[in-house]
Amino acid sequence: MGRLPRILLLNEYTPIYQRTACEELARQVSELRKDEDALDAYLVDLQDLVESIRPHAKACSKWYKKFLDRRLRSIIEKLREEEEWDADLNEMSEGDFAPLKKHTNVVLPKVLSNDEWQEIRGEIVASMAEYRDARLRRERAALIQRRLLDLRRVVCKLQLGDRGFRTPEQDFGPRFADFALMPEFRTLVEAPSDMDIKRSTFRRKCAELPALFDRFDAGREAQLARLLAERLGRPADAPSTDILKLAVAWFHCDQCRKYVRCPGVFAHQCQRPYYHRTDREDYEDAYIYDVAKASTFHAWSTTKLHPIPEEDLAALRALIAACGLDPARATAEEMDALDLRVTCDEIPVPYASKSEGKLVMNWRRAVLSLPMIQGGNPVKWVRASDADKRRALSLEAKAHQALLMKPKHQKFLQCALCDEPWWLVTESHGDAFLVADHLRRHHHISMAEIHSKGVYMYMHPDGVPETPEVWLPFL
Ligand SMILES: [Zn+2]
Ligand SMILES: [Zn+2]
C-alpha cells in the first residue's frame, strides 16, 4: 500500500488514501496479476505518481484540516443561534469540540449550506442532547461528592470536639460514612442542585446527633441479635439485644477469619471495606458507593459477618460447660468474672510439634483459637488447676508485652487529629514512626510534642490484643 498515491497526510504517520485510487489499484492489480511485466510497469508508474504528489501532500492535509474546521465552526454557529446549547458548547470548547469533531456529519469535505443544515440538524442536535445528559450527570455527581466532602469535614471537626483530638471510643460509634447514609443527612446531600447546601446546613442538622447515634447503635445491635438468634435456633423476629451478652455471642469475620463480638465488632475495620475493593456498578443504590468514595471506606455493615458456625459453637458450648456454667444462659461477663484458664486434653495440631507441655489460655483466647485448634477434630476442654493458672499468669504478662511490640499490632496505630487513612499513601502499614511522620507533615506537630503529650496517636480497638495463650512446661 506504500505505493498508493498519498492524497492527504493528516500527520507524518497517518496518510489518507482516496477511495477511487484504491479501487483503481485493486482493479489494475487483479487485471495484471498474470502479466508480471505489465504489473511491474504499472507499479513503477504508480510509484512515480506517488513521488510527484508527495511534495503537495502536507499542503493538502493542511488545507483539508482548515476546510473541516470551517465546517465545524459553521455548525457551531448554527447551534449558537439556537441558544439552548451554549453551556454544552462552552464546556466542549475546553476540549476543542472533540465530540462534535468526530460526528459523521461534521467530517465531510463540504461547505455547509442552509439547506444541508436543515438536513443534518436532527442528528447533530440528538448528539448534543446526549452530550448534555452526560454533562448534567457528571455535574450532579461532582456536586454530590462536594457535598459529601463538606459533610465529612463537619463530622471530622465534630469528632475532634473541644479536646481537639479523636479518641479510641469513637471508633465504636458511627463514622462519616454512617452519617452520610442516615436519611436526615442523605436528604440534604441529595437536595436539588439549585439548593444551597453548605457546611453550616450540615452543622445545624448535627444538633439531632445524640438521637441519631442512639438509633444507629440500636439498629446495629438489632441486626446482630437477629443473626445470632437465627443461629441459636431462637425466635429471630425481634430478639432482645441481651442475646448479644451471651458467652456464645461470637461472630466470624470472613475477611480476616477472626472471631469478634460486641462491642469490638462495631469498631472492627473489616466491617468498613476500602472503597477501592468494590465497584460502583455493583451497587443498585450508587449513593452507597459515592459515600464510600468520599469516606475512602464503606459504612459499617454485617456483609462480612456470620454468627459462630455450628462446629465451633459446639466447641464453645463445651468450653463454657468445662468452666462450670450453663452454655445456654452464661454471659460473657460471667465468664470474664470467673477468670479461669482452660487447656485441651490433647495438644492439638499445629501446636503438637511445638514443645512438650500444657497449652493454657483464658476463655476469650480459646474462642479466638478455635479455628486453629479445632482443625476438624473436636477438642475436649479441661479447666486448668489453680496452680496452673498461677504459673500461667506471669507468662501471660510477658507474652502480652511481646505481642504489643509485634509490627502487626503497630499497624493499628491511628492519627488522633484526622480521619485520613494516611497509611494508604505510604503503601506500608504503619508503625509509630510512620504515624509520627504523618503528624509532623500534615498537622505540623513537632516530634517533641508528639512524644511529650501522647494524645496525638492511639491504638485502634482492633490492635488491642487478647491475652495470649502460654505453654506450661511439664514439671
Ligand atoms: Zn475482620
Ligand atoms: Zn492525621
Side-chain angles (χ1 to χ4, degrees):
M1 294 295 279
R3 289 179 171 191
L4 273 174
R6 290 177 188 212
I7 303 305
L8 295 168
L9 202 65
L10 277 185
N11 58 45
E12 206 181 329
Y13 308 103
T14 319
I16 295 180
Y17 298 97
Q18 197 177 36
R19 183 194 285 181
T20 48
C22 294
E23 286 166 356
E24 175 63 10
L25 171 75
R27 197 180 62 75
Q28 290 281 2
V29 170
S30 110
E31 239 173 56
L32 302 173
R33 70 180 190 278
K34 284 182 185 151
D35 183 346
E36 229 172 78
D37 290 343
L39 182 62
D40 279 350
Y42 168 70
L43 290 177
V44 168
D45 286 350
L46 197 61
Q47 185 66 41
D48 289 345
L49 180 65
V50 168
E51 290 308 319
S52 65
I53 290 173
R54 198 186 295 279
H56 309 289
K58 268 193 181 160
C60 286
S61 163
K62 235 173 155 182
W63 169 85
Y64 183 64
K65 267 199 231 167
K66 265 195 178 165
F67 195 91
L68 285 186
D69 194 56
R70 263 207 299 279
R71 184 174 168 86
L72 173 70
R73 303 288 147 193
S74 308
I75 289 170
I76 292 169
E77 232 169 75
K78 293 284 183 199
L79 287 169
R80 290 267 187 213
E81 281 169 17
E82 298 188 5
E83 289 182 359
E84 65 166 306
W85 306 108
D86 278 356
D88 301 285
L89 290 169
N90 291 347
E91 195 192 73
M92 262 191 203
S93 71
E94 289 165 21
D96 200 18
F97 300 98
L100 257 189
K101 260 184 182 171
K102 284 185 284 186
H103 199 282
T104 45
N105 284 321
V106 178
V107 197
L108 285 176
K110 276 164 86 177
V111 175
L112 183 75
S113 66
N114 280 335
D115 286 349
E116 195 205 349
W117 170 244
Q118 289 313 320
E119 268 171 43
I120 65 170
R121 185 187 167 277
E123 284 182 32
I124 300 265
V125 161
S127 302
M128 289 301 291
E130 260 174 47
Y131 181 86
R132 167 173 298 175
D133 287 348
R135 174 176 66 82
L136 293 176
R137 275 199 303 276
R138 270 199 312 277
E139 285 176 2
R140 177 76 181 158
L143 178 74
I144 296 283
Q145 270 303 302
R146 244 190 346 266
R147 286 175 176 174
L148 282 171
L149 290 175
D150 275 345
L151 175 60
R152 177 175 167 173
R153 286 192 193 97
V154 169
V155 170
C156 185
K157 206 159 174 208
L158 194 88
Q159 294 191 321
L160 292 175
D162 294 335
R163 295 177 306 275
F165 51 86
R166 298 168 47 80
T167 63
E169 289 71 39
Q170 287 172 333
D171 285 323
F172 293 94
R175 309 285 301 260
F176 153 68
D178 308 309
F179 282 79
L181 289 183
M182 292 175 186
E184 291 77 4
F185 287 102
R186 180 169 183 169
T187 308
L188 292 177
V189 173
E190 293 191 316
S193 302
D194 56 359
M195 265 180 74
D196 194 14
I197 305 290
K198 294 185 289 203
R199 282 186 216 175
S200 53
T201 323
F202 292 126
R203 269 197 294 273
R204 276 197 296 280
K205 194 44 117 182
C206 285
E208 297 171 26
L209 275 186
L212 297 180
F213 275 23
D214 290 347
R215 189 187 67 195
F216 177 74
D217 286 341
R220 290 202 291 183
E221 284 180 5
Q223 236 179 319
L224 291 180
R226 271 196 301 277
L227 284 174
L228 188 67
E230 217 172 324
R231 163 69 77 244
L232 298 180
R234 301 185 184 188
D237 294 348
S240 158
T241 51
D242 281 350
I243 199 172
L244 299 172
K245 294 179 183 160
L246 290 176
V248 290
W250 289 85
F251 295 86
H252 188 257
C253 169
D254 297 342
Q255 180 74 33
C256 66
R257 296 162 192 237
K258 281 184 189 153
Y259 275 118
V260 282
R261 60 173 295 127
C262 295
V265 64
F266 297 128
H268 190 45
Q269 288 176 334
C270 302
Q271 263 61 75
R272 304 175 180 281
Y274 181 34
Y275 89 98
H276 244 308
R277 288 200 204 112
T278 56
D279 278 322
R280 193 171 195 266
E281 289 68 35
D282 292 342
Y283 291 86
E284 208 175 301
D285 181 359
Y287 181 75
I288 294 175
Y289 181 86
D290 293 340
V291 165
K293 190 176 167 197
S295 144
T296 323
F297 295 98
H298 276 276
W300 190 91
S301 81
T302 55
T303 320
K304 306 276 176 193
L305 285 182
H306 287 102
I308 182 165
E310 207 52 54
E311 63 275 21
D312 281 355
L313 183 59
L316 174 53
R317 283 177 171 143
L319 170 72
I320 296 166
C323 293
L325 294 182
D326 174 5
R329 273 194 288 274
T331 63
E333 206 181 330
E334 287 165 340
M335 288 292 283
D336 287 339
L338 288 177
D339 195 27
L340 296 177
R341 295 298 179 275
V342 289
T343 183
C344 315
D345 60 337
E346 278 177 39
I347 299 168
V349 176
Y351 292 108
S353 60
K354 191 176 171 186
S355 75
E356 292 213 337
K358 206 183 279 180
L359 188 64
V360 176
M361 58 193 104
N362 70 7
W363 82 280
R364 284 177 182 264
R365 171 56 67 182
V367 175
L368 298 184
S369 309
L370 276 177
M372 204 179 351
I373 288 186
Q374 285 257 92
N377 302 315
V379 174
K380 187 162 181 286
W381 296 100
V382 180
R383 180 185 156 176
S385 67
D386 289 346
D388 279 348
K389 181 187 162 185
R390 275 194 300 278
R391 287 174 69 203
L393 285 178
S394 65
L395 294 173
E396 280 178 358
K398 272 188 211 155
H400 192 79
Q401 276 308 315
L403 214 55
L404 287 177
M405 299 311 289
K406 280 195 174 167
K408 77 170 184 178
H409 288 288
Q410 296 246 325
K411 77 178 183 185
F412 294 106
L413 278 174
Q414 304 280 308
C415 166
L417 297 187
C418 70
D419 63 349
E420 296 286 333
W422 54 272
W423 62 90
L424 290 175
V425 289
T426 68
E427 289 182 0
S428 138
H429 260 213
D431 58 24
F433 174 77
L434 282 176
V435 188
D437 193 51
H438 160 83
L439 282 160
R440 202 170 49 80
R441 284 171 192 271
H442 292 262
H443 305 292
H444 311 293
I445 311 285
S446 71
M447 280 295 176
E449 271 184 292
I450 294 169
H451 291 303
S452 66
K453 289 197 180 162
V455 293
Y456 295 113
M457 59 176 98
Y458 69 91
M459 185 61 81
H460 184 275
D462 277 348
V464 180
E466 187 49 62
T467 307
E469 71 279 0
V470 292
W471 283 89
L472 294 186
F474 289 133
L475 292 173

